[in-house]
Amino acid sequence: MLRAGLSARFGGNKMSPSMQSHSWRHRILIGLAAFVCLVAVVAATYESISERRDRRSHPMPGKLVDVGGYRMHINCTGSGFPTVIFDSGLGDGYVPWNKAQSQVAQFTQACSYDRAGFGYSDSSPRPRTSRDMAKELHTLLHNAGVSPPYVLVGHSLAGYNVRVFTSLYPNEVAGLVLVDASHPEQQKRFPPALNDMDANWIQEEEFLEFTTPFGLPRLLGFCARDGEARATDCNFHHLRETVAELKSISVSAAQAAATGSLGDLPLIVLSEDPDTPQPDLPEDLAKPASAAWSQMQEELAHLSTSGTQVIAKNSGHYIQLDRPDVVVDAVRTVVDQARQRPRPAATP
């Protein structure tokens, strides 16, 4: 009776219509927030389980090597000198070189690796510029016991990296193979609309970066179909490093441009077939972009007085996937040339 009297006197549990409406809105918002949190937890769990499953199905080849507080992944096969080092393009780990590496390893030692943050390698505190990545590669090779001289094979963006590596450690490089490699002036010489597409590319990669922990790219089918590539590439830190490299392209291009001539160093430039369709580009951009690219590829071959260019017929940008035989032939040629030259003293 006392509780009933007090309730009646002070209004009890009765609320005005406006207070009741506010209460229901508050409950709905709490419910929605709880639902979103539940979905996020389920999605994150799904992504974590999927990543672990992929890596169990495709164990890491090679080994992890400490490079100064963080580890990088390297996979070396075969034996002989000079050692061939495969460096991948933007957003790629070691996997695209599998076909070529297995054949190169039949006549010399061949190593592929994951740049810091990619694949099985830990992230790096260094900026993602070609100079920093070249220094990391040098430390990785030294700490892994992979002795020079090296024949460096760089695809796309890694064309900058291997040129910078050569300028930093000239006595350790016996030759270069540039696989449809980037040119330092490409951003200036491509149609302006193509650079606008690059800006959209960064936004798309950032979207993938922040949604990957919740499994959205995997659910939408953006992850690689190949299980090994999916195990290395479909994760947050891999996409984060892709964005970082994209944002550093201008700096890396300037660093590559500053390296200058390669002298008479053995060099082969492999270029995509200009007659191969480019489905990622609108028709009005494909032709001028292809013409500019072809001209820049020809210029890369003049970096060395010993440089030659080879057009990989029926191949697009990923020559190592479309025509691995062309890559293997070029590497064999440069290796043979390097073996005929005096072995330089290693850089201290």
Side-chain angles (χ1 to χ4, degrees), residues 140-156:
L140 171 63
L141 294 173
H142 179 270
N143 291 1
V146 181
S147 301
Y150 310 119
V151 168
L152 303 178
V153 184
H155 173 240
S156 196

Side-chain angles (χ1 to χ4, degrees), residues 47-240:
E47 177 64 24
S48 178
I49 293 173
S50 298
E51 289 181 14
R52 290 199 300 270
R53 180 192 60 214
D54 286 341
R55 294 203 168 187
R56 280 198 306 269
S57 301
H58 301 278
M60 181 191 76
K63 59 184 179 181
L64 293 172
V65 178
D66 185 89
V67 292
Y70 55 102
R71 301 174 304 168
M72 291 178 64
H73 167 235
I74 187 168
N75 179 39
C76 294
T77 53
S79 61
F81 102 95
T83 298
V84 175
I85 307 298
F86 292 102
D87 198 355
S88 296
L90 189 148
D92 289 328
Y94 74 93
V95 175
W97 296 113
N98 280 350
K99 293 180 181 179
Q101 180 173 348
S102 64
Q103 297 180 58
V104 171
Q106 296 176 20
F107 57 84
T108 194
Q109 181 172 225
C111 301
S112 57
Y113 79 107
D114 289 323
R115 288 194 297 275
F118 286 129
Y120 294 100
S121 293
D122 296 335
S123 295
S124 167
R126 293 174 174 269
R128 295 296 81 203
T129 71
S130 287
R131 186 177 182 86
D132 290 287
M133 291 186 283
K135 289 181 176 180
E136 285 177 337
L137 174 58
H138 186 260
T139 301
L140 171 63
L141 294 173
H142 179 270
N143 291 1
V146 181
S147 301
Y150 310 119
V151 168
L152 303 178
V153 184
H155 173 240
S156 196
L157 173 70
Y160 295 159
N161 300 352
V162 299
R163 288 174 63 181
V164 172
F165 187 104
T166 303
S167 71
L168 291 173
Y169 315 104
N171 291 335
E172 299 188 11
V173 179
L176 292 176
V177 178
L178 300 180
V179 182
D180 218 39
S182 298
H183 188 288
E185 295 184 358
Q186 64 188 41
Q187 288 181 297
K188 299 177 183 177
R189 293 165 61 174
F190 275 146
L194 200 59
N195 292 328
D196 293 338
M197 292 179 65
D198 286 343
N200 292 333
W201 185 18
I202 292 177
Q203 293 177 351
E204 291 172 1
E205 291 296 324
E206 287 179 327
F207 172 78
L208 294 176
E209 173 190 355
F210 290 110
T211 57
T212 291
F214 305 105
L216 187 59
R218 190 181 297 271
L219 286 170
L220 295 178
F222 292 152
C223 292
R225 293 184 179 180
D226 176 79
E228 188 176 13
R230 189 172 61 249
T232 60
D233 299 356
C234 192
N235 54 71
F236 170 75
H237 68 86
H238 188 102
L239 288 161
R240 179 182 59 194

Side-chain angles (χ1 to χ4, degrees), residues 190-314:
F190 275 146
L194 200 59
N195 292 328
D196 293 338
M197 292 179 65
D198 286 343
N200 292 333
W201 185 18
I202 292 177
Q203 293 177 351
E204 291 172 1
E205 291 296 324
E206 287 179 327
F207 172 78
L208 294 176
E209 173 190 355
F210 290 110
T211 57
T212 291
F214 305 105
L216 187 59
R218 190 181 297 271
L219 286 170
L220 295 178
F222 292 152
C223 292
R225 293 184 179 180
D226 176 79
E228 188 176 13
R230 189 172 61 249
T232 60
D233 299 356
C234 192
N235 54 71
F236 170 75
H237 68 86
H238 188 102
L239 288 161
R240 179 182 59 194
E241 299 305 321
T242 299
V243 172
E245 287 189 0
L246 268 170
K247 292 181 176 180
S248 299
I249 279 183
S250 296
V251 176
S252 295
Q255 291 171 348
T259 61
S261 170
L262 295 171
D264 65 347
L265 193 69
L267 166 68
I268 294 181
V269 174
L270 303 181
S271 306
E272 68 179 13
D273 187 345
D275 296 326
T276 299
Q278 301 183 47
D280 294 336
L281 291 180
E283 188 174 347
D284 60 329
L285 288 180
K287 188 171 182 179
S290 179
W293 186 255
S294 296
Q295 177 61 39
M296 289 185 283
Q297 289 292 297
E298 182 180 342
E299 292 172 8
L300 290 176
H302 294 297
L303 287 170
S304 169
T305 57
S306 300
T308 59
Q309 182 186 16
V310 175
I311 304 297
K313 291 296 182 183
N314 302 314

